[in-house]
């Protein structure tokens, strides 16, 4: 169980997160949505211990100390850095603390196995700079999964991916979470994808959680109007999944300056 | 194609079906380690070659004899080889390796392919310290010969302390350190020019000769001191090699993998400062080795610091010893300061590297 208890973050005097609280059970995949600047990345970094924050984060009842947290793997947005590293090197570094001058062959084999599971085996020795954006994203996902963390925090993992790979990444995350009774919090912009891939949606706006629940409870037309400032239609597909179809942006929306 | 809602996870560009068992493609690690071994052998060979060349025009076999069996060799040859050539050559190896390692780690912690111990003002600061010591004719009691190296070491330390303090104050990021370093470079270059401007002609000549960087200043003492600093610096970097590799993925990713990025940057910065100061304080300013060696090494062995760090040291030593040989051949019977030759050898080399580079190395 991941318990977030009134987590607040400030940048200088500017508050970025205002006392965010939530409880997430093992086996849950949570989509974190919200407009640009809502504090999604900040919340993920604060949970990972990479951002100075007030409040308490507990994992299985244990309050987590500040600083990098072993049980929590955070996957930042791709910046294109590290082009000359090989795919295998990147994945191996998921378990940085276990690497020495000599890399344990068993560990290496596990890393190769993880690449194979994501269909990346043939790329193992290629430099990540030579890959497409989507392939890179998968490589960094492999790194995150290789850590076998209790909690995965993924910041826009599908940003560079085509439709097929968007689904593939999120299904892989969800499967991993279900099998290992882990927790995943995934920041996404695509609401239809969020509805499809997550058990639960947390909606963040202006540093506050303003909705928390199953996709059909959170994704409503009034919420989209209020938070995103868009007129949208929410359709239920024959499969039962929700689809969010934006119609038009509202001109006089308060969505950017903060909602009531 | 039978694709419904399940996914055969495969990636365009990756050959599907291959590589689920075993390992597709050859592991480059072994090949790269092989390259490092070849580089080391090459260095050993060129080091011996450097010992054979010199302004005294000694017979090659006499020199080899003096190296292998000094007791039975001609005393004059043995003296030249042991008192002059050996320290000079070993110093070239040590200085080159120190600058190569300092350069590669500087580039790594600053995330910048243009960073080197030279571009961040350490060498300029060392030059300023030496110039001041020469200008005022400073001499330490008991160990006057150590005055200039100590002055150079101290000012290089001062320059790194300035960069370190600014980074500490403003945040230990690559941007702050690069800016502070470049400001330091200009500061000490100006100070150095001022000292040169104020100096009398004969003193100026001495200052300029120091600034040129020459292995003629080497001695067994300098070999011992710089050698110990090189060994200590290398050992101090060992525990951080994987963290340094991880830093190449960017600060955020390295931090998310548990690397304390500011602490790593501080630690490695201090090691780099000491390595650089240890290398240049005896022999004078040597540019370019610290810039070109890391790029060469990266081309040959990749980003894995377990290979990259030693390879950069070996490449630095190779360039340095190569320049040392060239410095003795340019004008027969004399030794041109090697600091002049490194850039002459290094620049065309770097041009060639830029033009022929087949893939991204940075």
């Amino acid at each position: 169980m991941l318990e977030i208890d009134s987590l607040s973050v400030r940048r200088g005097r500017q508050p970025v997160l205002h006392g965010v609280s939530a409880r997430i059970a093992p086996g849950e995949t949570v989509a974190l949505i919200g407009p640009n600047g809502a504090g999604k990345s900040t919340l993920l970094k604060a949970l990972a211990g990479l951002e100075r924050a007030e409040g308490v984060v507990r994992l299985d009842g244990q309050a987590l100390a500040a600083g990098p947290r072993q049980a929590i793997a955070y996957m930042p947005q791709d910046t294109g850095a590290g082009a000359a590293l090989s795919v295998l090197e990147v994945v191996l570094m998921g378990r940085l603390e276990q690497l020495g001058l000599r890399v344990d062959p068993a560990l290496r084999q596990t890393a190769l196995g993880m690449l194979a599971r994501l269909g990346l085996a043939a790329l193992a020795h290629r430099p990540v700079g030579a890959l497409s954006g989507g392939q890179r994203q998968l490589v960094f996902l492999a790194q995150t999964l290789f850590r076998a963390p209790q909690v995965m925090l993924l910041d826009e993992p599908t940003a560079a991916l085509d439709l097929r790979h968007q689904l593939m990444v999120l299904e892989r995350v969800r499967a991993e979470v279900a099998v290992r009774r882990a927790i995943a919090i995934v920041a996404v912009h695509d609401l239809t994808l969020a509805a499809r891939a997550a058990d639960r949606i947390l909606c963040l706006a202006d540093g506050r959680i303003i909705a928390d629940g199953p996709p059909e409870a959170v994704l409503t037309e009034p919420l989209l109007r209020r938070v995103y400032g868009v007129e949208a239609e929410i359709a239920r597909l024959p499969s039962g999944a929700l689809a969010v179809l934006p119609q038009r942006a509202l001109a006089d929306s308060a969505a950017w300056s903060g909602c009531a | 194609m039978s694709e419904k809602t399940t996914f055969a996870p495969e990636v365009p560009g990756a050959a599907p079906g291959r590589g689920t068992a075993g390992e597709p493609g050859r592991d480059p690690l072994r090949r790269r380690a092989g390259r490092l071994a070849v580089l080391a052998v090459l260095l050993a060979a060129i080091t011996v070659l450097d010992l054979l060349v010199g302004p005294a025009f000694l017979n090659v076999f006499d020199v080899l004899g003096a190296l292998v069996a000094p007791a039975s060799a001609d005393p004059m040859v043995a003296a030249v080889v042991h008192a002059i050539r050996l320290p000079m050559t070993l110093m070239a190896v040590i200085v080159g390796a120190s600058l190569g390692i300092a350069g590669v780690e500087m580039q790594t912690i600053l995330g910048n392919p243009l960073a080197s111990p030279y571009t961040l003002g350490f060498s300029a600061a060392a030059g300023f310290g030496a110039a001041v010591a020469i200008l005022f004719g400073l001499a330490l009691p008991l160990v006057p010969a150590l005055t200039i190296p100590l002055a150079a070491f101290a000012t290089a330390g001062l320059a790194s302390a300035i960069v370190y303090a600014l980074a500490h104050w403003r945040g230990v990021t690559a941007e702050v350190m690069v800016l502070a370093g470049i400001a330091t470079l200009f500061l000490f270059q100006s100070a150095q020019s001022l000292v040169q401007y104020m100096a009398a002609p004969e003193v100026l000549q001495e200052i300029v000769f120091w600034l040129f960087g020459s292995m003629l200043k080497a001695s067994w003492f300098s070999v011992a001191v710089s050698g110990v600093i090189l060994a200590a610096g290398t050992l101090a970097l060992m525990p951080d090699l994987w963290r340094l590799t991880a830093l190449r993925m960017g600060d955020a990713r390295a931090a998310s993998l548990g690397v304390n990025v500011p602490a790593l940057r501080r630690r490695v910065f201090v090691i780099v400062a000491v390595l650089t100061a240890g290398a240049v304080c005896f022999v004078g300013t040597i540019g370019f080795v610290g810039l070109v060696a890391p790029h060469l090494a990266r081309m040959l062995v990749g980003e894995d610091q377990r290979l990259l760090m030693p390879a950069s040291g070996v490449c630095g030593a190779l360039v340095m010893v190569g320049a040392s040989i060239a410095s003795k051949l340019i004008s027969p019977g004399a030794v041109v300061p090697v600091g002049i030759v490194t850039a002459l050898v290094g620049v065309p080399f770097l041009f060639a590297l830029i033009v022929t580079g087949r893939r991204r190395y940075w």
Side-chain angles (χ1 to χ4, degrees), chain B:
Chain B
M1 291 284 273
S2 64
E3 281 189 0
K4 283 173 275 176
T5 48
T6 52
F7 295 95
E10 69 188 47
V11 171
R18 263 205 314 154
T20 35
E23 199 177 330
R26 279 186 305 131
D27 184 6
L29 193 68
R30 198 161 290 194
R31 193 174 66 231
R32 289 169 173 178
R35 284 188 193 151
L36 177 56
V38 170
L39 281 175
V41 171
L42 213 62
L43 176 61
I46 201 174
T47 302
V48 173
L49 194 65
D50 188 45
L51 284 170
L52 300 181
V53 185
F57 297 112
L58 300 178
N59 182 298
V60 169
F61 296 103
D62 290 349
V63 175
L64 285 175
L67 281 173
V68 179
S72 59
D74 175 350
M76 195 275 284
V77 175
V80 168
V81 168
H82 285 272
I84 302 173
R85 287 198 185 175
L86 258 178
M88 275 177 76
T89 300
L90 289 178
M91 198 63 189
V93 172
I94 291 166
V95 167
S98 300
L99 291 177
I101 291 173
V104 76
E105 300 315 352
M106 196 62 122
Q107 290 178 0
T108 304
I109 59 168
L110 298 182
N112 192 322
L114 289 177
S116 81
Y118 196 79
T119 43
L120 288 202
F122 295 177
S123 297
F128 167 70
V132 167
I134 296 168
L135 177 68
F136 293 110
L138 301 180
L140 286 172
L142 301 177
V143 278
L146 274 184
T147 312
I148 293 170
L150 268 177
F153 196 95
T155 39
L158 176 69
S160 53
I162 292 174
V163 178
Y164 187 101
L166 282 170
H168 188 73
W169 184 41
R170 223 34 217 115
V172 194
T173 62
E175 293 79 9
V176 171
M177 291 175 104
V178 168
L179 268 178
I182 296 210
T184 312
L185 169 69
F186 279 100
L187 177 72
F188 282 102
Q189 258 176 2
S190 300
Q192 208 185 81
S193 301
L194 190 66
V195 171
Q196 290 184 36
Y197 182 77
M198 293 183 343
E202 60 279 7
V203 178
L204 178 63
Q205 200 179 8
E206 203 184 330
I207 292 175
V208 168
F209 178 70
W210 194 92
L211 292 177
F212 274 154
S214 167
M215 293 303 150
L216 286 173
K217 302 182 197 107
S219 64
W220 280 110
F221 179 75
S222 68
V223 166
V225 172
S226 299
V228 166
I229 290 176
L230 172 63
T234 309
L235 282 177
L237 285 169
M238 295 285 240
D240 280 325
L241 290 181
W242 273 109
R243 284 183 208 103
L244 285 162
T245 311
L247 200 58
R248 294 289 294 117
M249 292 186 292
D251 284 17
R253 247 182 245 286
S256 73
L257 293 174
V259 178
N260 185 339
V261 176
L264 176 68
R265 230 179 230 133
R266 280 196 203 101
R267 197 158 62 230
V268 173
F269 180 80
V270 170
I271 296 171
V272 167
V274 173
L275 272 175
T276 309
V280 300
C281 74
F282 289 106
V283 298
T285 316
I286 307 249
F288 230 77
V289 176
L291 178 68
V292 80
H295 288 291
L296 255 175
R298 205 174 278 114
M299 281 179 70
L300 292 168
V301 304
E303 289 279 359
D304 185 337
Q305 289 267 351
R306 291 175 300 159
L307 292 176
L308 180 58
M309 191 267 279
S312 191
V314 174
C315 285
L318 266 173
V319 172
M320 202 67 227
V321 178
S324 165
I325 293 174
S327 75
K328 295 184 217 174
L329 296 179
I330 286 176
S331 104
V335 181
V336 177
V338 75
I340 301 174
V341 185
T342 48
L344 285 180
V345 173
V347 173
F349 201 75
L350 192 65
F351 281 163
L353 207 149
I354 293 165
V355 173
T356 58
R358 275 175 298 127
R359 44 171 258 221
R360 284 179 66 183
Y361 291 101
W362 185 260

Side-chain angles (χ1 to χ4, degrees), chain A residues 50 68 72 74-85 88-90 92-94 96-97 99-103 108-109 112 116-123 125-127 129 135 138 140 143 147 164-165 167-168 171-172 196, chain B residues 3 5-16 18-29 32 238 241-243 245-250 252-260 298 301-304 306 359-362:
Chain A
L50 303 175
I72 299 183
Y74 164 64
M75 176 170 139
Q77 289 179 36
D78 194 4
T79 56
L85 291 164
L88 180 62
E89 283 164 359
V90 166
L92 273 174
M93 282 191 281
L96 203 55
E97 71 290 343
L99 300 174
L101 277 184
R102 193 176 172 304
V103 172
R108 198 169 170 284
Q109 217 48 51
L112 285 167
R117 270 161 69 190
L118 290 176
L120 298 166
L123 303 180
H125 303 306
R126 296 263 294 272
Q135 289 172 330
L138 283 172
F140 287 113
Q143 184 192 59
R147 294 183 69 181
R164 172 188 161 81
H165 289 94
L167 290 172
M168 193 184 124
E171 302 247 319
R172 170 58 63 186
R196 187 191 157 115
Chain B
E3 281 189 0
T5 48
T6 52
F7 295 95
E10 69 188 47
V11 171
R18 263 205 314 154
T20 35
E23 199 177 330
R26 279 186 305 131
D27 184 6
L29 193 68
R32 289 169 173 178
M238 295 285 240
L241 290 181
W242 273 109
R243 284 183 208 103
T245 311
L247 200 58
R248 294 289 294 117
M249 292 186 292
R253 247 182 245 286
S256 73
L257 293 174
V259 178
N260 185 339
R298 205 174 278 114
V301 304
E303 289 279 359
D304 185 337
R306 291 175 300 159
R359 44 171 258 221
R360 284 179 66 183
Y361 291 101
W362 185 260

